[in-house]
Amino acid sequence: MAEGAAASSRLRLAGLCFFLQLLTIILFAAFVRYGPESDPGLCSPQSNCSRRDPEPGSGYPRFRDAHLQALLGFGFLLAFLGRYGPGSVATSLLVVAFAMQWALLAQGLFYFSPKGKIYVGAQSMVSADFCTAAVLISSGAVLGRVNPIQLLLMTLLEVPLFACNEFILLSLLGISDSGGSLTVHAFGAYFGLMVSRALRQPRVDERGEQQDAGRQPDAFAVLGTLYLWIFWPSFASATTAQDGAEPWAVLNVYFSMAASTLAAFVLSPILYEEGTLQAAQLQDAALVGTAVMGMAGEMLLTPFGALVAGFLASHLSLLGSRFLSPILSSRLKIQDTCGVHNVHGLPGVLGTLVGTLLAGLATADAYGGKLESVFPLVAQGSRTASGQAWWQLCALPLTLILAALGGSLTGEFLLREPLPRDPPPR
């Protein structure tokens, strides 16, 4: 019976993949075309991009780095559990392959050209990578408790909601969130957490799962950490301005990652009995530093601000892991397999608050010519710095509400699919 059920599940997965790919092929044939990306600005009328193209002509290197980060950094991030490591890498490839295509269509719906077409290019792929990253973050919250069919269905529902939230924040409200503290990290984390709550399995010992790490998952975590350090600064700065100088976002992300990693060595020995940090914990510490710099990376004028933000974010994450995670599990019935709340959710919220503060303090004297690229509405005089800060702050509850509602409804929908009783095959 077990073999028959496994064969049936594989056939259903094959059928779903066939249907989804056929659907995207039809939609691409009807609406998607290659288009020029030579026009400056947030999003030109000819291109499907939810984020601005900072330097026309440099789209491919940015897409390459962003795609490597989404594919390898997040792929290895989902591989730290001994029981699910190898299978989760294969599943993450499946999610990336579908999410990239689906994101181009979903984001393109909000940027139709007058001819009713979706024009795509390298910068459009960067936007799709941001969406894919959010989906992979959500996947970390339910890793090991969903099958590939459920992950594909979750991606099918999450991507349009992500595109809607991103369009509201970046285009309608004029929010500055180039690296995705709010739109990627916070949205992906809380969407995944609400899906996890709906899929709650009381008999699963989450703590035992998190400690079930072997030599091979440790190697995955090491590789994931290296990819984070190499490619995440490019990922976080893929939509920031580069007017002839080194972009602030790249340097600020590096400083934040360094401070957050060092902070892990400061607080971990106090909170945990283990004397040596594991590779997965170092990977989490580096991720925390990048999440908090998603919004504030291009806003910080001095390196010490990035160091302080990364240091505080790492401590917030460690404290949340030690004291808040048990509350989420016992009282709110949320199983967070990969700890996305502490690694992405809390740092994403902190990064939004830091970005809000910096927006309120923005002046033309401090930013000079970069004020136009960081806060275009403030530079144009259509919005004051305090007004910009107010809208940055309002974007936080809006995103959390959309993520929570969308995740809850998605989780209820996924319950129609039988939950896996055994871990995915290696």
Side-chain angles (χ1 to χ4, degrees):
M1 294 181 61
E3 293 181 359
S8 175
S9 178
R10 288 194 295 268
L11 289 176
R12 295 176 64 195
L13 176 60
L16 180 61
C17 291
F18 177 80
F19 169 77
L20 292 177
Q21 187 60 75
L22 181 62
L23 176 63
T24 54
I25 288 174
I26 294 173
L27 292 176
F28 266 65
F31 299 108
V32 179
R33 301 290 184 272
Y34 289 121
E37 289 192 292
S38 58
D39 295 329
L42 182 63
C43 281
S44 66
Q46 288 83 20
S47 63
N48 154 37
C49 58
S50 56
R51 298 167 187 272
R52 59 178 177 262
D53 186 356
E55 187 177 351
S58 67
Y60 174 72
R62 290 167 177 270
F63 158 64
R64 176 197 59 206
D65 292 348
H67 192 58
L68 282 171
Q69 175 54 49
L71 187 64
L72 297 176
F74 280 108
F76 289 130
L77 171 66
L78 300 181
F80 79 101
L81 294 182
R83 295 172 63 194
Y84 309 112
S88 67
V89 173
T91 302
S92 67
L93 286 172
L94 176 65
V95 171
V96 168
F98 173 61
M100 288 292 295
Q101 301 176 64
W102 195 236
L104 286 171
L105 292 167
Q107 292 172 324
L109 289 176
F110 297 99
Y111 299 97
F112 260 120
S113 74
K115 298 181 179 179
K117 301 297 181 181
I118 300 173
Y119 289 97
V120 302
Q123 193 63 23
S124 306
M125 298 298 289
V126 171
S127 299
D129 272 320
F130 275 76
C131 181
T132 302
V135 174
L136 291 173
I137 290 171
S138 301
S139 301
V142 297
L143 178 64
R145 292 179 290 114
V146 293
N147 54 43
I149 294 176
Q150 290 172 311
L151 278 179
L152 283 177
L153 294 176
M154 187 182 80
T155 303
L156 182 69
L157 298 175
E158 181 177 1
V159 166
L161 185 61
F162 173 93
C164 178
N165 179 67
E166 188 183 53
F167 176 75
I168 293 173
L169 265 57
L170 302 186
S171 296
L172 299 184
L173 301 184
I175 302 302
S176 178
D177 187 24
S178 61
S181 281
L182 188 56
T183 55
V184 176
H185 293 278
F187 179 89
Y190 290 104
F191 184 96
L193 290 173
M194 295 310 295
V195 173
S196 178
R197 187 179 189 278
L199 301 177
R200 170 76 177 182
Q201 298 181 72
R203 295 182 181 180
V204 175
D205 184 1
E206 179 193 4
R207 182 172 300 179
E209 286 185 350
Q210 290 184 342
Q211 294 174 350
D212 182 19
R215 187 172 301 174
Q216 189 174 26
D218 279 343
F220 281 137
V222 170
L223 289 174
T225 303
L226 293 177
Y227 276 109
L228 286 174
W229 278 88
I230 295 171
F231 292 109
W232 201 293
S234 296
F235 180 86
S237 63
T239 61
T240 57
Q242 295 194 56
D243 43 2
E246 288 292 336
W248 295 339
V250 172
L251 303 179
N252 284 330
V253 169
Y254 268 117
F255 289 129
S256 180
M257 291 169 66
S260 63
T261 302
L262 193 62
F265 286 90
V266 174
L267 198 57
S268 288
I270 301 174
L271 298 178
Y272 300 98
E273 296 180 358
E274 296 85 354
T276 305
L277 270 72
Q278 302 298 318
Q281 292 174 303
L282 292 176
Q283 186 182 43
D284 289 348
L287 271 169
V288 168
T290 62
V292 76
M293 281 294 102
M295 179 179 290
E298 66 173 345
M299 302 178 186
L300 282 168
L301 303 175
T302 55
F304 88 91
L307 293 173
V308 172
F311 194 76
L312 293 178
S314 186
H315 282 78
L316 177 64
S317 175
L318 288 168
L319 291 172
S321 177
R322 181 65 177 85
F323 300 108
L324 191 56
S325 291
I327 297 176
L328 292 178
S329 179
S330 61
R331 297 188 180 183
L332 299 181
K333 311 302 180 184
I334 297 176
Q335 295 177 353
D336 185 6
T337 308
C338 288
V340 298
H341 181 247
N342 306 308
V343 178
H344 299 278
L346 290 178
V349 171
L350 177 61
T352 302
L353 297 178
V354 173
T356 298
L357 175 63
L358 294 173
L361 300 175
T363 62
D365 292 338
Y367 282 86
K370 283 196 173 184
L371 185 65
E372 174 68 29
S373 59
V374 180
F375 301 111
L377 296 179
V378 176
Q380 296 166 10
S382 58
R383 182 179 291 178
T384 64
S386 59
Q388 180 69 35
W390 167 252
W391 285 111
Q392 298 277 142
L393 184 61
C394 289
L396 176 59
L398 175 61
T399 296
L400 296 181
I401 291 172
L402 287 176
L405 289 177
S408 298
L409 294 176
T410 299
E412 294 296 331
F413 176 77
L414 294 184
L415 283 175
R416 301 177 185 178
E417 282 288 327
L419 293 174
R421 295 182 180 180
D422 298 318
R426 298 191 178 189

